[in-house]
Amino acid sequence: MSARLATAETDIPNGQAAIWRITDKTGKAKPSHLLGTIHLTDPRVHALPDAARHAIETASVVALEIKEVVDPADHLRAYYRNARFMAMPLGQDMWDLIPDEDEHFIREAPQIPPERMITLGAVQPWMVVVMLSYSNCEMERQKADLPMLDRAIGQLAKNRGVPVIGLEKVEEQMAILAGATLEQQARMLVMTAKYADQAADFAETFTQLYLARRLASLWVLSRQGVPTDQPDPEISAYLENEVVNKRNRLTAERALPLLAEGNAFIAVGSAHLPGEQGLVELLRQAGYDVTAVD
């Protein structure tokens, strides 16, 4: 795994910085900024450089992946409005998708309390994957209403009177996650469940890579979903093409009007920045100078 990550950091472009300055070659618009975030509450990742904090506070607009993340109640309501992407098809049970010999990995996962198992079969596997992706420590911080980095950025902007918008809709994100076949989702769930007791270690790895600005490595881990040297090629292709690259193109398209106005601050998950189809490269192809800041 370490060897593959080292190779990624030399082969994958734009993977050595989390903060980028975006300038219009015509000089007509004020510079904008792009920040790759990490969806965790860990206070270490909230320690933004002063320049980034100033850019947020003085921006004309702050654009997050989804605006609802700023208010947990809004976020929850948006999920329930789109419950069709979470529920199993009528008459089907999630457990029927899981091989008998693999069920114990899910049933023994520390993130899911025993009483939750009673209704777990009613949700699509991707929902359980999300549950198992967070360590118990991270889940406790979320329950205590500690914000993830994206939410903290949005709240900082709102407190300064800066408008906050979303580049995606909750419905769109959920549709992509639910877009994999149920069989693919089930395989992803089993893969994730096998590492569920290592979720804290995985989160620490992500945090350390982020703090070291090793975003290319984060991209590699994000596209395979689990820390293994034998990822599922079909799952990796789905994560890369649908969850990352497809959304990159949509985000870039929706960001362009903001960049034309200038002085925008865009914050999206770090996995969306590196690579030939990453946001940094897509914005360059759109005619902007995009240079690393930190």
Side-chain angles (χ1 to χ4, degrees):
M1 175 68 75
S2 297
R4 285 200 299 118
L5 296 185
T7 300
E9 288 168 17
T10 58
D11 294 348
I12 298 174
N14 310 317
Q16 291 78 42
I19 305 174
W20 299 76
R21 180 182 172 91
I22 308 167
T23 53
D24 181 354
K25 292 181 179 180
T26 67
K28 295 180 180 179
K30 288 184 178 181
S32 295
H33 290 85
L34 171 65
L35 169 68
T37 68
I38 185 167
H39 306 317
L40 293 173
T41 60
D42 192 313
R44 290 173 293 176
V45 304
H46 286 233
L48 295 172
D50 290 340
R53 185 172 292 273
H54 177 72
I56 295 168
E57 294 175 338
T58 59
S60 299
V61 63
V62 166
L64 307 175
E65 288 184 14
I66 52 174
K67 65 179 180 181
E68 290 86 353
V69 74
V70 180
D71 185 333
D74 283 347
H75 201 185
L76 188 60
R77 283 192 291 267
Y79 259 74
Y80 281 120
R81 283 197 302 269
N82 294 284
R84 66 189 183 280
F85 295 118
M86 298 186 286
M88 285 290 293
L90 188 64
Q92 296 187 42
D93 191 291
M94 185 206 71
W95 292 110
D96 293 336
L97 301 168
I98 308 299
D100 292 344
E101 64 272 18
D102 292 328
E103 274 198 18
H104 73 97
F105 291 114
I106 303 168
R107 295 190 182 279
E108 296 169 5
Q111 295 92 330
I112 306 178
E115 61 271 17
R116 184 69 176 85
M117 292 293 173
I118 299 172
T119 58
L120 206 62
V123 302
Q124 292 188 29
W126 75 264
M127 284 289 296
V128 190
V129 170
V130 173
M131 294 180 199
L132 300 186
S133 298
Y134 293 114
S135 67
N136 283 339
C137 181
E138 174 66 23
M139 292 173 70
E140 288 301 318
R141 289 199 295 258
Q142 291 182 25
K143 289 178 182 177
D145 203 32
L146 295 180
M148 291 186 183
L149 177 56
D150 308 69
R151 177 183 166 194
I153 290 169
Q155 290 176 334
L156 173 61
K158 289 189 70 173
N159 290 340
R160 292 289 183 167
V162 179
V164 177
I165 66 169
L167 294 169
E168 297 178 275
K169 298 177 181 178
V170 172
E171 178 180 359
E172 292 172 328
Q173 287 193 348
M174 294 177 71
I176 287 176
L177 293 172
T181 67
L182 291 174
E183 290 73 18
Q184 289 173 330
Q185 292 183 40
R187 294 209 311 274
M188 182 66 181
L189 173 53
V190 171
M191 289 169 54
T192 305
K194 288 180 178 179
Y195 294 91
D197 61 350
Q198 299 178 40
D201 293 337
F202 200 26
E204 181 62 21
T205 298
F206 262 78
T207 299
Q208 292 294 339
L209 290 173
Y210 181 77
L211 294 174
R213 298 307 193 237
R214 296 172 60 185
L215 269 62
S217 291
L218 285 177
W219 182 88
V220 170
L221 292 176
S222 296
R223 69 182 287 272
Q224 68 184 51
V226 289
T228 175
D229 283 320
Q230 295 181 320
D232 183 314
E234 189 177 40
I235 298 298
S236 292
Y238 181 81
L239 292 173
E240 180 177 352
N241 297 328
E242 298 297 319
V243 178
V244 179
N245 291 343
K246 182 177 181 179
R247 291 172 59 209
N248 288 351
R249 294 189 293 271
L250 181 64
T251 297
E253 178 183 333
R254 292 176 177 175
L256 290 179
L258 305 179
L259 301 180
E261 290 292 330
N263 197 32
F265 191 96
I266 298 169
V268 297
S270 295
H272 295 287
L273 271 59
E276 295 179 358
Q277 297 187 59
L279 276 177
V280 172
E281 190 58 35
L282 290 176
L283 295 179
R284 285 175 177 156
Q285 292 173 11
Y288 287 90
D289 287 326
V290 188
T291 54
V293 175
D294 177 34

PDB file of all heavy atoms in Angstrom, residues 19-44:
ATOM      1  N   ILE A  19      -4.963  24.012  -0.957  1.00  0.00           N
ATOM      2  CA  ILE A  19      -5.491  25.346  -1.216  1.00  0.00           C
ATOM      3  C   ILE A  19      -4.883  25.876  -2.517  1.00  0.00           C
ATOM      4  O   ILE A  19      -3.666  25.845  -2.695  1.00  0.00           O
ATOM      5  CB  ILE A  19      -5.179  26.307  -0.054  1.00  0.00           C
ATOM      6  CG1 ILE A  19      -5.693  25.728   1.267  1.00  0.00           C
ATOM      7  CG2 ILE A  19      -5.804  27.680  -0.310  1.00  0.00           C
ATOM      8  CD1 ILE A  19      -5.303  26.546   2.483  1.00  0.00           C
ATOM      9  N   TRP A  20      -5.758  26.368  -3.399  1.00  0.00           N
ATOM     10  CA  TRP A  20      -5.337  26.838  -4.716  1.00  0.00           C
ATOM     11  C   TRP A  20      -5.916  28.221  -4.989  1.00  0.00           C
ATOM     12  O   TRP A  20      -7.035  28.527  -4.579  1.00  0.00           O
ATOM     13  CB  TRP A  20      -5.799  25.866  -5.802  1.00  0.00           C
ATOM     14  CG  TRP A  20      -5.225  24.482  -5.648  1.00  0.00           C
ATOM     15  CD1 TRP A  20      -5.617  23.529  -4.742  1.00  0.00           C
ATOM     16  CD2 TRP A  20      -4.154  23.916  -6.390  1.00  0.00           C
ATOM     17  NE1 TRP A  20      -4.846  22.393  -4.892  1.00  0.00           N
ATOM     18  CE2 TRP A  20      -3.950  22.595  -5.893  1.00  0.00           C
ATOM     19  CE3 TRP A  20      -3.361  24.372  -7.439  1.00  0.00           C
ATOM     20  CZ2 TRP A  20      -2.978  21.747  -6.411  1.00  0.00           C
ATOM     21  CZ3 TRP A  20      -2.387  23.525  -7.960  1.00  0.00           C
ATOM     22  CH2 TRP A  20      -2.206  22.240  -7.445  1.00  0.00           C
ATOM     23  N   ARG A  21      -5.147  29.023  -5.691  1.00  0.00           N
ATOM     24  CA  ARG A  21      -5.582  30.365  -6.094  1.00  0.00           C
ATOM     25  C   ARG A  21      -5.981  30.304  -7.573  1.00  0.00           C
ATOM     26  O   ARG A  21      -5.234  29.756  -8.398  1.00  0.00           O
ATOM     27  CB  ARG A  21      -4.437  31.361  -5.882  1.00  0.00           C
ATOM     28  CG  ARG A  21      -4.745  32.815  -6.253  1.00  0.00           C
ATOM     29  CD  ARG A  21      -3.491  33.658  -6.029  1.00  0.00           C
ATOM     30  NE  ARG A  21      -3.618  35.016  -6.514  1.00  0.00           N
ATOM     31  CZ  ARG A  21      -4.054  36.037  -5.787  1.00  0.00           C
ATOM     32  NH1 ARG A  21      -4.386  35.831  -4.521  1.00  0.00           N
ATOM     33  NH2 ARG A  21      -4.130  37.253  -6.304  1.00  0.00           N
ATOM     34  N   ILE A  22      -7.136  30.859  -7.880  1.00  0.00           N
ATOM     35  CA  ILE A  22      -7.670  30.805  -9.236  1.00  0.00           C
ATOM     36  C   ILE A  22      -7.756  32.224  -9.783  1.00  0.00           C
ATOM     37  O   ILE A  22      -8.433  33.085  -9.204  1.00  0.00           O
ATOM     38  CB  ILE A  22      -9.075  30.164  -9.247  1.00  0.00           C
ATOM     39  CG1 ILE A  22      -9.057  28.814  -8.529  1.00  0.00           C
ATOM     40  CG2 ILE A  22      -9.589  30.008 -10.674  1.00  0.00           C
ATOM     41  CD1 ILE A  22     -10.435  28.273  -8.212  1.00  0.00           C
ATOM     42  N   THR A  23      -7.052  32.463 -10.877  1.00  0.00           N
ATOM     43  CA  THR A  23      -7.039  33.810 -11.449  1.00  0.00           C
ATOM     44  C   THR A  23      -7.499  33.784 -12.899  1.00  0.00           C
ATOM     45  O   THR A  23      -7.183  32.863 -13.661  1.00  0.00           O
ATOM     46  CB  THR A  23      -5.631  34.436 -11.368  1.00  0.00           C
ATOM     47  OG1 THR A  23      -4.674  33.545 -11.961  1.00  0.00           O
ATOM     48  CG2 THR A  23      -5.239  34.686  -9.926  1.00  0.00           C
ATOM     49  N   ASP A  24      -8.228  34.809 -13.245  1.00  0.00           N
ATOM     50  CA  ASP A  24      -8.725  35.001 -14.608  1.00  0.00           C
ATOM     51  C   ASP A  24      -7.589  35.589 -15.448  1.00  0.00           C
ATOM     52  O   ASP A  24      -7.033  36.626 -15.107  1.00  0.00           O
ATOM     53  CB  ASP A  24      -9.922  35.955 -14.547  1.00  0.00           C
ATOM     54  CG  ASP A  24     -10.524  36.215 -15.909  1.00  0.00           C
ATOM     55  OD1 ASP A  24      -9.969  35.759 -16.912  1.00  0.00           O
ATOM     56  OD2 ASP A  24     -11.574  36.882 -15.953  1.00  0.00           O
ATOM     57  N   LYS A  25      -7.264  34.940 -16.555  1.00  0.00           N
ATOM     58  CA  LYS A  25      -6.144  35.404 -17.380  1.00  0.00           C
ATOM     59  C   LYS A  25      -6.386  36.787 -17.966  1.00  0.00           C
ATOM     60  O   LYS A  25      -5.440  37.485 -18.339  1.00  0.00           O
ATOM     61  CB  LYS A  25      -5.869  34.397 -18.490  1.00  0.00           C
ATOM     62  CG  LYS A  25      -5.323  33.067 -17.981  1.00  0.00           C
ATOM     63  CD  LYS A  25      -5.046  32.103 -19.113  1.00  0.00           C
ATOM     64  CE  LYS A  25      -4.486  30.792 -18.576  1.00  0.00           C
ATOM     65  NZ  LYS A  25      -4.197  29.807 -19.653  1.00  0.00           N
ATOM     66  N   THR A  26      -7.644  37.186 -18.059  1.00  0.00           N
ATOM     67  CA  THR A  26      -7.941  38.523 -18.578  1.00  0.00           C
ATOM     68  C   THR A  26      -7.749  39.604 -17.525  1.00  0.00           C
ATOM     69  O   THR A  26      -7.670  40.783 -17.855  1.00  0.00           O
ATOM     70  CB  THR A  26      -9.398  38.590 -19.081  1.00  0.00           C
ATOM     71  OG1 THR A  26     -10.294  38.472 -17.963  1.00  0.00           O
ATOM     72  CG2 THR A  26      -9.682  37.471 -20.081  1.00  0.00           C
ATOM     73  N   GLY A  27      -7.695  39.200 -16.262  1.00  0.00           N
ATOM     74  CA  GLY A  27      -7.531  40.158 -15.188  1.00  0.00           C
ATOM     75  C   GLY A  27      -8.786  40.933 -14.847  1.00  0.00           C
ATOM     76  O   GLY A  27      -8.745  41.888 -14.062  1.00  0.00           O
ATOM     77  N   LYS A  28      -9.928  40.517 -15.398  1.00  0.00           N
ATOM     78  CA  LYS A  28     -11.177  41.252 -15.166  1.00  0.00           C
ATOM     79  C   LYS A  28     -11.820  40.925 -13.821  1.00  0.00           C
ATOM     80  O   LYS A  28     -12.539  41.741 -13.263  1.00  0.00           O
ATOM     81  CB  LYS A  28     -12.162  40.961 -16.298  1.00  0.00           C
ATOM     82  CG  LYS A  28     -11.713  41.474 -17.661  1.00  0.00           C
ATOM     83  CD  LYS A  28     -12.753  41.139 -18.732  1.00  0.00           C
ATOM     84  CE  LYS A  28     -12.301  41.654 -20.099  1.00  0.00           C
ATOM     85  NZ  LYS A  28     -13.291  41.306 -21.159  1.00  0.00           N
ATOM     86  N   ALA A  29     -11.594  39.706 -13.329  1.00  0.00           N
ATOM     87  CA  ALA A  29     -12.240  39.279 -12.084  1.00  0.00           C
ATOM     88  C   ALA A  29     -11.215  39.153 -10.969  1.00  0.00           C
ATOM     89  O   ALA A  29     -10.047  38.837 -11.204  1.00  0.00           O
ATOM     90  CB  ALA A  29     -12.956  37.949 -12.279  1.00  0.00           C
ATOM     91  N   LYS A  30     -11.672  39.388  -9.735  1.00  0.00           N
ATOM     92  CA  LYS A  30     -10.792  39.187  -8.590  1.00  0.00           C
ATOM     93  C   LYS A  30     -10.438  37.707  -8.461  1.00  0.00           C
ATOM     94  O   LYS A  30     -11.241  36.845  -8.824  1.00  0.00           O
ATOM     95  CB  LYS A  30     -11.483  39.664  -7.309  1.00  0.00           C
ATOM     96  CG  LYS A  30     -11.620  41.171  -7.170  1.00  0.00           C
ATOM     97  CD  LYS A  30     -12.220  41.514  -5.816  1.00  0.00           C
ATOM     98  CE  LYS A  30     -12.320  43.022  -5.628  1.00  0.00           C
ATOM     99  NZ  LYS A  30     -12.895  43.360  -4.298  1.00  0.00           N
ATOM    100  N   PRO A  31      -9.275  37.398  -7.920  1.00  0.00           N
ATOM    101  CA  PRO A  31      -8.906  35.985  -7.734  1.00  0.00           C
ATOM    102  C   PRO A  31      -9.889  35.259  -6.824  1.00  0.00           C
ATOM    103  O   PRO A  31     -10.465  35.853  -5.909  1.00  0.00           O
ATOM    104  CB  PRO A  31      -7.517  36.064  -7.086  1.00  0.00           C
ATOM    105  CG  PRO A  31      -6.988  37.403  -7.475  1.00  0.00           C
ATOM    106  CD  PRO A  31      -8.186  38.311  -7.530  1.00  0.00           C
ATOM    107  N   SER A  32     -10.078  33.982  -7.082  1.00  0.00           N
ATOM    108  CA  SER A  32     -10.891  33.116  -6.242  1.00  0.00           C
ATOM    109  C   SER A  32     -10.002  32.053  -5.633  1.00  0.00           C
ATOM    110  O   SER A  32      -8.806  31.969  -5.952  1.00  0.00           O
ATOM    111  CB  SER A  32     -12.015  32.466  -7.068  1.00  0.00           C
ATOM    112  OG  SER A  32     -12.928  33.427  -7.551  1.00  0.00           O
ATOM    113  N   HIS A  33     -10.561  31.240  -4.755  1.00  0.00           N
ATOM    114  CA  HIS A  33      -9.779  30.184  -4.097  1.00  0.00           C
ATOM    115  C   HIS A  33     -10.537  28.863  -4.114  1.00  0.00           C
ATOM    116  O   HIS A  33     -11.776  28.838  -4.088  1.00  0.00           O
ATOM    117  CB  HIS A  33      -9.457  30.573  -2.654  1.00  0.00           C
ATOM    118  CG  HIS A  33      -8.471  31.698  -2.550  1.00  0.00           C
ATOM    119  ND1 HIS A  33      -8.849  33.019  -2.619  1.00  0.00           N
ATOM    120  CD2 HIS A  33      -7.113  31.700  -2.398  1.00  0.00           C
ATOM    121  CE1 HIS A  33      -7.777  33.790  -2.511  1.00  0.00           C
ATOM    122  NE2 HIS A  33      -6.720  33.021  -2.370  1.00  0.00           N
ATOM    123  N   LEU A  34      -9.775  27.795  -4.145  1.00  0.00           N
ATOM    124  CA  LEU A  34     -10.316  26.435  -4.094  1.00  0.00           C
ATOM    125  C   LEU A  34      -9.642  25.703  -2.943  1.00  0.00           C
ATOM    126  O   LEU A  34      -8.411  25.689  -2.830  1.00  0.00           O
ATOM    127  CB  LEU A  34     -10.020  25.700  -5.409  1.00  0.00           C
ATOM    128  CG  LEU A  34     -10.328  24.202  -5.471  1.00  0.00           C
ATOM    129  CD1 LEU A  34     -11.826  23.948  -5.341  1.00  0.00           C
ATOM    130  CD2 LEU A  34      -9.796  23.606  -6.775  1.00  0.00           C
ATOM    131  N   LEU A  35     -10.453  25.109  -2.073  1.00  0.00           N
ATOM    132  CA  LEU A  35      -9.933  24.353  -0.928  1.00  0.00           C
ATOM    133  C   LEU A  35     -10.444  22.921  -0.987  1.00  0.00           C
ATOM    134  O   LEU A  35     -11.641  22.681  -1.129  1.00  0.00           O
ATOM    135  CB  LEU A  35     -10.379  24.997   0.391  1.00  0.00           C
ATOM    136  CG  LEU A  35     -10.133  24.169   1.670  1.00  0.00           C
ATOM    137  CD1 LEU A  35      -8.638  24.033   1.952  1.00  0.00           C
ATOM    138  CD2 LEU A  35     -10.848  24.787   2.867  1.00  0.00           C
ATOM    139  N   GLY A  36      -9.535  21.977  -0.850  1.00  0.00           N
ATOM    140  CA  GLY A  36      -9.917  20.586  -0.686  1.00  0.00           C
ATOM    141  C   GLY A  36     -10.114  20.301   0.788  1.00  0.00           C
ATOM    142  O   GLY A  36      -9.213  20.536   1.604  1.00  0.00           O
ATOM    143  N   THR A  37     -11.300  19.838   1.166  1.00  0.00           N
ATOM    144  CA  THR A  37     -11.607  19.596   2.570  1.00  0.00           C
ATOM    145  C   THR A  37     -11.505  18.104   2.890  1.00  0.00           C
ATOM    146  O   THR A  37     -11.252  17.277   2.015  1.00  0.00           O
ATOM    147  CB  THR A  37     -13.027  20.072   2.912  1.00  0.00           C
ATOM    148  OG1 THR A  37     -13.987  19.221   2.243  1.00  0.00           O
ATOM    149  CG2 THR A  37     -13.240  21.507   2.491  1.00  0.00           C
ATOM    150  N   ILE A  38     -11.709  17.788   4.141  1.00  0.00           N
ATOM    151  CA  ILE A  38     -11.815  16.407   4.582  1.00  0.00           C
ATOM    152  C   ILE A  38     -13.037  16.340   5.492  1.00  0.00           C
ATOM    153  O   ILE A  38     -13.218  17.181   6.367  1.00  0.00           O
ATOM    154  CB  ILE A  38     -10.521  15.947   5.292  1.00  0.00           C
ATOM    155  CG1 ILE A  38     -10.572  14.472   5.643  1.00  0.00           C
ATOM    156  CG2 ILE A  38     -10.206  16.804   6.491  1.00  0.00           C
ATOM    157  CD1 ILE A  38      -9.208  13.906   6.066  1.00  0.00           C
ATOM    158  N   HIS A  39     -13.915  15.386   5.252  1.00  0.00           N
ATOM    159  CA  HIS A  39     -15.213  15.359   5.929  1.00  0.00           C
ATOM    160  C   HIS A  39     -15.101  14.721   7.313  1.00  0.00           C
ATOM    161  O   HIS A  39     -15.655  13.649   7.592  1.00  0.00           O
ATOM    162  CB  HIS A  39     -16.223  14.604   5.073  1.00  0.00           C
ATOM    163  CG  HIS A  39     -16.351  15.126   3.670  1.00  0.00           C
ATOM    164  ND1 HIS A  39     -16.401  16.477   3.368  1.00  0.00           N
ATOM    165  CD2 HIS A  39     -16.432  14.494   2.474  1.00  0.00           C
ATOM    166  CE1 HIS A  39     -16.514  16.641   2.063  1.00  0.00           C
ATOM    167  NE2 HIS A  39     -16.525  15.443   1.501  1.00  0.00           N
ATOM    168  N   LEU A  40     -14.383  15.406   8.191  1.00  0.00           N
ATOM    169  CA  LEU A  40     -14.185  14.925   9.559  1.00  0.00           C
ATOM    170  C   LEU A  40     -14.310  16.094  10.534  1.00  0.00           C
ATOM    171  O   LEU A  40     -14.127  17.259  10.158  1.00  0.00           O
ATOM    172  CB  LEU A  40     -12.796  14.281   9.710  1.00  0.00           C
ATOM    173  CG  LEU A  40     -12.533  12.973   8.949  1.00  0.00           C
ATOM    174  CD1 LEU A  40     -11.076  12.572   9.071  1.00  0.00           C
ATOM    175  CD2 LEU A  40     -13.439  11.856   9.457  1.00  0.00           C
ATOM    176  N   THR A  41     -14.577  15.751  11.795  1.00  0.00           N
ATOM    177  CA  THR A  41     -14.682  16.774  12.843  1.00  0.00           C
ATOM    178  C   THR A  41     -13.352  17.014  13.548  1.00  0.00           C
ATOM    179  O   THR A  41     -13.257  17.902  14.391  1.00  0.00           O
ATOM    180  CB  THR A  41     -15.711  16.342  13.901  1.00  0.00           C
ATOM    181  OG1 THR A  41     -15.274  15.105  14.489  1.00  0.00           O
ATOM    182  CG2 THR A  41     -17.095  16.148  13.296  1.00  0.00           C
ATOM    183  N   ASP A  42     -12.343  16.237  13.233  1.00  0.00           N
ATOM    184  CA  ASP A  42     -11.051  16.321  13.912  1.00  0.00           C
ATOM    185  C   ASP A  42     -10.563  17.770  13.949  1.00  0.00           C
ATOM    186  O   ASP A  42     -10.401  18.412  12.902  1.00  0.00           O
ATOM    187  CB  ASP A  42     -10.033  15.441  13.171  1.00  0.00           C
ATOM    188  CG  ASP A  42      -8.755  15.228  13.966  1.00  0.00           C
ATOM    189  OD1 ASP A  42      -8.217  16.218  14.497  1.00  0.00           O
ATOM    190  OD2 ASP A  42      -8.284  14.080  14.041  1.00  0.00           O
ATOM    191  N   PRO A  43     -10.327  18.326  15.133  1.00  0.00           N
ATOM    192  CA  PRO A  43      -9.923  19.737  15.230  1.00  0.00           C
ATOM    193  C   PRO A  43      -8.624  20.050  14.500  1.00  0.00           C
ATOM    194  O   PRO A  43      -8.387  21.205  14.137  1.00  0.00           O
ATOM    195  CB  PRO A  43      -9.791  19.970  16.738  1.00  0.00           C
ATOM    196  CG  PRO A  43      -9.642  18.609  17.350  1.00  0.00           C
ATOM    197  CD  PRO A  43     -10.427  17.690  16.476  1.00  0.00           C
ATOM    198  N   ARG A  44      -7.790  19.048  14.269  1.00  0.00           N
ATOM    199  CA  ARG A  44      -6.523  19.313  13.569  1.00  0.00           C
ATOM    200  C   ARG A  44      -6.748  19.797  12.140  1.00  0.00           C
ATOM    201  O   ARG A  44      -5.979  20.619  11.627  1.00  0.00           O
ATOM    202  CB  ARG A  44      -5.655  18.048  13.553  1.00  0.00           C
ATOM    203  CG  ARG A  44      -5.087  17.662  14.916  1.00  0.00           C
ATOM    204  CD  ARG A  44      -4.383  16.315  14.846  1.00  0.00           C
ATOM    205  NE  ARG A  44      -5.338  15.228  14.584  1.00  0.00           N
ATOM    206  CZ  ARG A  44      -4.971  13.961  14.391  1.00  0.00           C
ATOM    207  NH1 ARG A  44      -3.686  13.623  14.406  1.00  0.00           N
ATOM    208  NH2 ARG A  44      -5.894  13.042  14.177  1.00  0.00           N
TER     209      ARG A  44
END
